[in-house]
Amino acid sequence: MKDYIKGIHKNAVVSDTSSIGFYTIVYEDVVIGDNVTIGNSVIIYPGTVIKENVSVGDHTILGRPPVLSKSSTENRAGDFIPLVIQREAIIGAYVVINAGTTIGENATVADGASVRERCRVGENSLVGRGAVLENDVLLGNRVKIQTGAYITGYTVIEDDVFIAPKVVTTNDNYMGRTEKRFKEKKGPVIQRGARVGGNSLILPGVVIAPETFIAAGSLVTRDTQRGKLYMGRPCKIVREVPEEELLED
């Protein structure tokens, strides 16, 4: 195959030790470090930085500028800084990651996941298959977001949090109506070591305290207490989290 099929811009910097698959497009000012593996039919937008030993699957889009609908309430002002993918990260196939985001060292973004603008995925964290991180989401280190979870905009998830499959977070109590929603829009804060069971629903602005355990299928309508197990719709305290399950300080 000829080089033009790969579409590497002359101003891109690509290490000689890295490999790029067929029909991949690398735009200007992209920097690809040592021992990076890029799959087939990948699009890497201008300015994206991919550090050493990163793996990128087929048909993935990296560093795409955000495209907002006319009715979107999100911030449109200013340019977005380029996407940065730190060393040893794994990016799956059919992933879309927008500009303005940082993927930490040894992090994994699994097949079919979507990560929007101004997000941060911490070191050794996982964004599972088909999971969605909306704009301005902050993930700490060693966070696990499992398959199909929906993390709404402006959510903060601290270190060592576990989010089970199909968890849904929300940030708008007015569901798109009234001007009041603009100043009150707020995602949940899920603090260190908390665990949220599958198919749970977390309402806007709720603070889930450290080491909270939310049982599967629960509806979280208010702030929780540290180290308690909650269950139900709406969820209520059932008991203490066993001491042997708590993280060391």
Side-chain angles (χ1 to χ4, degrees):
M1 292 289 185
K2 295 182 178 179
D3 286 341
Y4 72 83
I5 292 179
K6 295 182 180 179
I8 301 173
H9 195 279
K10 64 181 181 180
N11 291 336
V13 178
V14 180
S15 170
D16 292 337
T17 62
S18 293
S19 63
I20 296 178
F22 296 128
Y23 303 104
T24 287
I25 298 173
V26 180
Y27 282 97
E28 66 269 22
D29 302 320
V30 168
V31 177
I32 298 176
D34 294 337
N35 301 311
V36 172
T37 302
I38 306 292
N40 302 308
S41 300
V42 173
I43 300 175
I44 307 176
Y45 277 88
T48 297
V49 176
I50 303 176
K51 300 292 185 65
E52 59 268 25
N53 301 313
V54 168
S55 173
V56 179
D58 297 337
H59 300 279
T60 282
I61 300 174
L62 300 176
R64 184 182 68 174
V67 178
L68 303 177
S69 70
K70 293 181 180 179
S71 61
S72 175
T73 61
E74 299 309 324
N75 181 14
R76 300 170 184 269
D79 296 327
F80 289 90
I81 64 173
L83 168 67
V84 176
I85 301 176
Q86 300 289 358
R87 61 188 303 276
E88 307 285 349
I90 298 173
I91 311 298
Y94 293 93
V95 171
V96 179
I97 306 177
N98 280 0
T101 284
T102 299
I103 307 298
E105 288 189 14
N106 294 296
T108 298
V109 182
D111 296 348
S114 174
V115 182
R116 282 187 55 186
E117 61 274 12
R118 297 185 300 268
C119 291
R120 184 188 71 211
V121 176
E123 296 178 5
N124 299 292
S125 289
L126 165 68
V127 179
R129 183 183 180 92
V132 175
L133 270 58
E134 295 284 15
N135 56 284
D136 302 277
V137 168
L138 302 179
L139 300 189
N141 299 326
R142 301 174 300 281
V143 172
K144 292 184 179 179
I145 308 292
Q146 297 290 303
T147 297
Y150 176 78
I151 310 301
T152 192
Y154 311 105
T155 297
V156 176
I157 300 179
E158 295 183 358
D159 296 349
D160 302 298
V161 166
F162 180 90
I163 304 293
K166 304 297 183 180
V167 168
V168 173
T169 58
T170 59
N171 65 13
D172 182 2
N173 280 312
Y174 302 94
M175 292 194 288
R177 294 185 180 175
T178 81
E179 296 301 309
K180 191 175 181 180
R181 75 186 192 276
F182 292 108
K183 64 180 180 180
E184 295 189 6
K185 193 172 186 180
K186 186 178 182 181
V189 176
I190 305 175
Q191 295 181 332
R192 182 175 183 264
R195 291 171 287 173
V196 182
N199 284 301
S200 294
L201 174 60
I202 305 173
L203 294 192
V206 167
V207 177
I208 296 180
E211 299 285 13
T212 298
F213 188 107
I214 306 296
S218 295
L219 171 62
V220 187
T221 61
R222 60 184 64 188
D223 297 352
T224 69
Q225 298 179 32
R226 183 186 185 100
K228 307 291 186 181
L229 187 151
Y230 287 76
M231 181 183 298
R233 301 181 72 85
C235 65
K236 298 179 180 180
I237 295 174
V238 176
R239 58 176 172 82
E240 300 279 343
V241 174
E243 186 173 351
E244 63 269 19
E245 293 186 17
L246 300 177
L247 297 172
E248 295 181 1
D249 290 337

